[in-house]
Amino acid sequence: MIAPTPISANLRIDLKIIAEMIDPHTRVLDIGCGDGELLAYLQQHREVDARGMELSMQGVQKAVARGLAVIQGDADIDLVDYPDDAFDYVILSKTLQATHNPRAVVEQMLRIGRHAIVSFPNFAHWRTRLDLALRGRMPVNELLPYSWYETPNIHFCTIRDFVDLCRTMDVRIKASVSLDADGDVQRFTADSRWANLLGVDAVFLLGK
Amino acid sequence: MPNISATEADAVFRERINAVEATATLCADVPLPLDSGESFGPIEVAYHTYGTLNADRSNAILVCHALTGDQYAVLPHPLTGKPGWWSNLIGPGKVIDTDKYFLVCANVLGGCMGTTGPKSINPATGEPYMLDFPVITVGDMVRLHARLLDHLGIERLFAAIGGSMGGMQVLQFAAAYPERVLCALPIAACARYSAQNIAFDEVGRQAIMADLEWCNGRYLLEDRVPHKGLAVARMAAHITYLSEAALTRKFGRKLQGREKVGFGFDADFEVESYLRHQGSTFVERFDANSYLYITRAMDYFDMPAEHGGNLANAFRDTPVRFCVISFTSDWLFPTRDSQAIVRALNAAAASVSFVEVHSDKGHDAFLLDEPELHETIKGFLDGAAERAGLAFPEASR
């Protein structure tokens, strides 16, 4: 038997917020689903039709071994295979900054899904700004742990940048949440000026 | 512990997994329509079942064998004495648990282990069919599997699983009978047989037909056997089941029982002697004409062509849950073949899992103890059984 995985207790905070945005009994695709932590939670607690895509084979194997429908695939390449409106929600959690063409990925997400949920680290957080302004260095800390020469994160953006992209793409922001360094939800919405300075991570629910 | 003989141990094992060996006569009243346009019947189908069918007949798994496999998936082979070809995977408490599932494994149409094939007696002539046997396809094999399930009273399978040509049958079954199977696991398979694979098959067939002992296919009547041709066919094919890394690791350039090369054409190298052995043991258990017919069936396998050029059309609105598995070093059914299946299933918005297992053992990896393969199959089946609310039979202990 596969060991039952404790999920709800220690689900990553941004994943909890994403889970709360999803209606029960819907069709969900999680791009970059890792070992399927969020999908397993959604399948169990929201009874969704859960599908996943993950680049690393280790992640895929773990997810499939826990009974999830997950394929090995690349957000930049493999979303084109899905038909229009195949899903109610398409999730991209902390993966946007690692894609080659973030705009095309968001476009594809909203083609194949009625909603897109995107979470990403905010590069305009004050600590990042301080690192650049005072130390003149790219930030390396517990939130952004990679040195510039080995980071998988090739397309960092700020919350304001992302809001701008949504405007340019004529995408509706249906909800937005920003999180502080402790992972607590901040009182202002993520598309506010304060969030861009104080938010460590942001989660956006997008519609067409 | 009392001393028990091998025969007794075998009997205990058979009882433990509730093994049944049987042959059914099918398609007598309603002949099987073949893709060639002919109809064919009656057909004997030799099959094994393991485990126990539950009360609502919902825990059946169809196990499909590869080109040179047969119904001896678990029980030892009667001609070679070797353990069943998937006995590492199937058994009590194993990945495919005979305490939970009811397994059906049948020798394919055209085979030579009891199901009607070229060496079977043609009732119309009283002689073996030989080359009068109709040319068959993977679709025909699968149509016959469906007739066997009718015979066994199994309306709907929990799963169909198989590797290589077995995986092709699984895909074909899911496309032809989507309402009759809950889960499909095509392993190291393809939806469209490649030119390279057809080419290798043709080498094998030419080797058989070039053997004078083949007697234009009538060797059974002449009391002869095209040993050499069939052995060469097997040797060539066997190379395609391995990988260069596996051959190098296993044999390298090691010499066979000698210090230096012999400047002749004996088997100097271990790899030569290994292939010769593979060839000569194969001819003891396989019929040359069956080899021609079954390889031809694989050559003709082209699911996209049968669905308007688009494989996704084969799976529109399918309720079947798929688990596609490939191996990194398999160059006969490479990962890109599996990816083409996955892409089509995505385009059809089907539920699909896909794992590429890391292995340097080539195509044969699907038969071997590959932990990643076994974890994937087990996780997928357990998850699907839980979702389906599958009731397992009372423990047979």
Side-chain angles (χ1 to χ4, degrees), chain A residues 31-47:
Chain A
I31 304 164
C33 64
D35 64 5
E37 186 186 16
L38 174 64
L39 284 175
Y41 177 86
L42 290 172
Q43 189 164 287
Q44 197 177 336
H45 296 273
R46 294 277 192 281
E47 294 176 41

Side-chain angles (χ1 to χ4, degrees), chain B residues 10-32:
Chain B
D10 183 57
V12 169
F13 178 69
R14 281 166 189 260
E15 197 184 323
R16 177 69 183 81
I17 63 170
N18 195 20
V20 173
E21 295 182 72
T23 302
T25 305
L26 306 175
C27 312
D29 299 332
V30 186
L32 192 75

